[in-house]
Amino acid sequence: AQKVTQAQTEISVVEKEDVTLDCVYETRDTTYYLFWYKQPPSGELVFLIRRNSFDEQNEISGRYSWNFQKSTSSFNFTITASQVVDSAVYFCALGSNYQLIWGAGTKLIIKP
Amino acid sequence: KAGVTQTPRYLIKTRGQQVTLSCSPISGHRSVSWYQQTPGQGLQFLFEYFSETQRNKGNFPGRFSGRQFSNSRSEMNVSTLELGDSALYLCASSSSGRTYEQYFGPGTRLTVT
C-alpha cells in the first residue's frame, strides 16, 4: 500500500526559530515523486518542491531546505528563521499512477 | 500565463440535487486532476484526465463523475448530493501528468444543506 504520514498535526514556534516538518512515505514503486505543498488560509495549494526517487540530493531554496533519505523513506522540510508569513498548512505528497497521495498535513503557526 | 481557474468558487446545494464544477487548466496543460478536501478525510484523489481520457480514478462512489473536453477544460459532476459531499473541491493541471507536478486552482467550496 502507498501511504504518506505526517505525524505532526500542529507545530507552533516563535518567529525566527527554525522548524522541521516530518514526512514518511511508503511505496513499492521504484520510480516515484515526492512533493511539498503549502496551503495558506486562502485555501489554494502552492507547489514548493518536487523530488524524484533517483535524486537524493538535498535542496535549499532561500530559507527552505529539504532532506530526502530513501533509507528511512523520509522527505523532511526545514524552514530556517521562520516568519509569520510561513504560517500555513503544509502537505507532503507521493506521486504514483497519475495521482498524488497526500499526508494529513501539518499546521504551522508562527507567532510574532 | 494564467493559472488554473475554477468556477464557481462557492456553491450551496440541497441534499438530493446534483452539481457541476468546472476547471480550466493552465494553457498547454493536458492533464487535469480533481481532489476532494474535507477536515475529516483530508485530501483525496477523485480522478485524472489526459487528452479526454480518464487515466485513474480514486475510491469514490459512482455519483462522482468527470469529463474532459478537447480544449482540456474539465468538469466534475456529483449527483444525488449528500451532506458528506460538503468539501473543498480542488482541480490541478499539469503538462503531462507523468512528473506529477501539479498546479492547483483556488477550489470550489461546496456546501450541502
Side-chain angles (χ1 to χ4, degrees):
Chain A
Q2 296 177 315
K3 187 179 176 183
V4 175
T5 301
Q6 295 179 256
Q8 303 150 309
T9 305
E10 183 174 305
I11 299 174
S12 180
V13 300
V14 177
E15 199 173 21
K16 297 184 183 173
E17 285 185 17
D18 298 348
V19 58
T20 295
L21 309 182
D22 298 332
C23 173
V24 175
Y25 64 93
E26 294 175 30
T27 182
R28 291 183 182 175
D29 294 344
T30 53
T31 301
Y32 52 89
Y33 291 84
L34 294 166
F35 298 82
W36 277 94
Y37 281 85
K38 173 182 180 179
Q39 189 174 42
S42 61
E44 189 164 342
L45 282 161
V46 178
F47 169 80
L48 294 177
I49 189 171
R50 179 193 74 200
R51 261 284 174 270
N52 72 49
S53 51
F54 299 108
D55 182 2
E56 283 193 75
Q57 277 192 334
N58 291 334
E59 173 137 350
I60 298 174
S61 176
R63 297 183 297 106
Y64 296 171
S65 62
W66 291 269
N67 184 349
F68 176 27
Q69 291 193 332
K70 281 180 79 170
S71 60
T72 56
S73 297
S74 65
F75 186 42
N76 297 336
F77 172 31
T78 298
I79 301 176
T80 302
S82 59
Q83 299 176 1
V84 173
V85 293
D86 296 326
S87 297
V89 180
Y90 290 85
F91 290 94
C92 178
L94 168 68
S96 174
N97 198 24
Y98 302 119
Q99 65 170 293
L100 290 177
I101 299 153
W102 299 84
T106 297
K107 183 176 182 179
L108 179 62
I109 300 168
I110 311 295
K111 294 184 270 191
Chain B
K1 258 186 186 177
V4 178
T5 57
Q6 291 186 246
T7 55
R9 292 291 311 279
Y10 302 91
L11 206 49
I12 300 175
K13 289 285 189 179
T14 305
R15 262 185 310 176
Q17 288 185 315
Q18 75 164 20
V19 66
T20 298
L21 311 182
S22 180
C23 171
S24 292
I26 291 170
S27 177
H29 283 190
R30 295 165 66 188
S31 168
V32 173
S33 300
W34 289 89
Y35 295 87
Q36 181 196 63
Q37 186 177 25
T38 60
Q41 299 297 318
L43 276 156
Q44 294 184 285
F45 170 74
L46 281 156
F47 24 67
E48 189 261 357
Y49 288 88
F50 181 80
S51 293
E52 302 178 68
T53 299
Q54 185 182 89
R55 292 196 294 195
N56 197 5
K57 186 177 187 303
N59 294 325
F60 278 81
R63 300 185 297 105
F64 291 81
S65 63
R67 59 178 176 169
Q68 186 180 35
F69 302 96
S70 58
N71 62 359
S72 294
R73 190 177 69 85
S74 177
E75 288 181 348
M76 68 162 281
N77 184 277
V78 187
S79 62
T80 319
L81 284 166
E82 300 177 0
L83 294 178
D85 297 333
S86 294
L88 180 65
Y89 289 88
L90 291 160
C91 166
S93 79
S94 70
S95 55
S96 70
R98 286 197 189 127
T99 60
Y100 308 96
E101 187 168 323
Q102 299 179 359
Y103 296 89
F104 284 80
T108 295
R109 172 77 62 185
L110 171 65
T111 302
V112 182
T113 62

